[in-house]
Amino acid sequence: GESVGLHLPTLSVQEGDNSIINCAYSNSASDYFIWYKQESGKGPQFIIDIRSNMDKRQGQRVTVLLNKTVKHLSLQIAATQPGDSAVYFCAEISFNQFYFGTGTSLTVIP
Amino acid sequence: KAGVTQTPRYLIKTRGQQVTLSCSPISGHRSVSWYQQTPGQGLQFLFEYFSETQRNKGNFPGRFSGRQFSNSRSEMNVSTLELGDSALYLCASRKGTSADTQYFGPGTRLTVL
């Protein structure tokens, strides 16, 4: 029968290409944002964070962009590898509370 | 530094039973939060403890409860289990009250039969 539940947005990319995962947040008062990666059967793993007084932050192969005007957050992964296949969540922190997006499922095609 | 640890990793119970899950935060972290993750609802906040006090609570029935000990370790308890309680229960810790980064444990997979 038909399964009922969250239908995660999905993104498929070729190995070596760059990936961009997007997230819209809801609260303009949110002052801190985090991207997490969750592999099957594991807990979410911290990737990168950004404070609201910044619009860009770079890590190792990852970049987070924050556009407060349109309340949009993105995660860019350079040279995507098979090990990057996972579900990616954004989290916004507002008044010390964490709010999570539904996630995007990234599949890397070898 | 050791990460967040959760025990047990897997648990099978039957309806009506109760269960206790345990979480040890990262050393030096005083805040512990619990989340329920299911395919149907995603990641849902249960509660947060800081210095042995419940600071925030999500929208879950009273069957879900928790506590925190003086060493910051935390337990959550679910009584009168229902089939719908089957989920991955995640614990996350962070240093304190400011907007610190939150780190997750591997989770406890609870199956209710």
Side-chain angles (χ1 to χ4, degrees):
Chain A
E2 185 179 357
S3 64
V4 177
L6 278 178
H7 292 279
L8 294 180
T10 58
L11 176 66
S12 294
V13 299
Q14 207 71 38
E15 181 178 358
D17 287 351
N18 297 334
S19 304
I20 299 176
I21 300 170
N22 297 303
C23 177
Y25 64 94
S26 56
N27 192 342
S28 56
S30 294
D31 53 8
Y32 181 46
F33 304 87
I34 304 175
W35 278 101
Y36 289 94
K37 170 188 179 183
Q38 187 174 23
E39 296 174 274
S40 181
K42 298 183 180 180
Q45 174 189 359
F46 170 87
I47 302 174
I48 192 167
D49 59 0
I50 189 167
R51 304 278 171 183
S52 60
N53 61 351
M54 303 171 71
D55 52 22
K56 180 179 179 178
R57 189 159 190 228
Q58 287 186 287
Q60 190 175 26
R61 279 202 309 120
V62 294
T63 300
V64 55
L65 298 177
L66 174 62
N67 185 331
K68 292 182 286 295
T69 304
V70 295
K71 292 191 283 187
H72 184 267
L73 196 66
S74 70
L75 176 71
Q76 299 178 2
I77 305 174
T80 314
Q81 302 167 0
D84 295 328
S85 293
V87 174
Y88 290 81
F89 294 95
C90 66
E92 61 176 303
I93 294 83
S94 174
F95 301 107
N96 211 28
Q97 293 242 47
F98 280 68
Y99 301 92
F100 289 88
T102 53
T104 295
S105 178
L106 174 67
T107 301
V108 180
I109 304 163
Chain B
K1 191 184 270 191
V4 178
T5 58
Q6 293 186 246
T7 56
R9 292 293 313 279
Y10 302 92
L11 207 48
I12 299 175
K13 293 285 188 178
T14 55
R15 278 182 300 175
Q17 287 188 308
Q18 74 161 16
V19 67
T20 298
L21 312 181
S22 181
C23 171
S24 291
I26 291 171
S27 177
H29 286 195
R30 295 167 65 193
S31 166
V32 173
S33 295
W34 288 90
Y35 295 86
Q36 182 195 67
Q37 187 177 40
T38 61
Q41 300 293 326
L43 202 62
Q44 292 193 289
F45 173 71
L46 280 154
F47 27 67
E48 180 188 13
Y49 286 87
F50 179 78
S51 292
E52 302 178 67
T53 302
Q54 187 180 87
R55 183 164 65 178
N56 291 306
K57 189 177 190 304
N59 190 26
F60 277 81
R63 300 185 297 108
F64 292 81
S65 63
R67 59 178 176 167
Q68 187 180 32
F69 302 95
S70 58
N71 61 357
S72 293
R73 191 177 68 84
S74 177
E75 289 181 347
M76 81 162 257
N77 183 277
V78 188
S79 61
T80 321
L81 284 165
E82 300 177 0
L83 295 179
D85 296 333
S86 294
L88 181 67
Y89 289 88
L90 291 160
C91 166
S93 78
R94 52 181 169 146
K95 283 184 183 176
T97 57
S98 60
D100 297 310
T101 303
Q102 186 168 244
Y103 296 92
F104 284 86
T108 293
R109 171 71 64 185
L110 172 65
T111 302
V112 182
L113 303 175

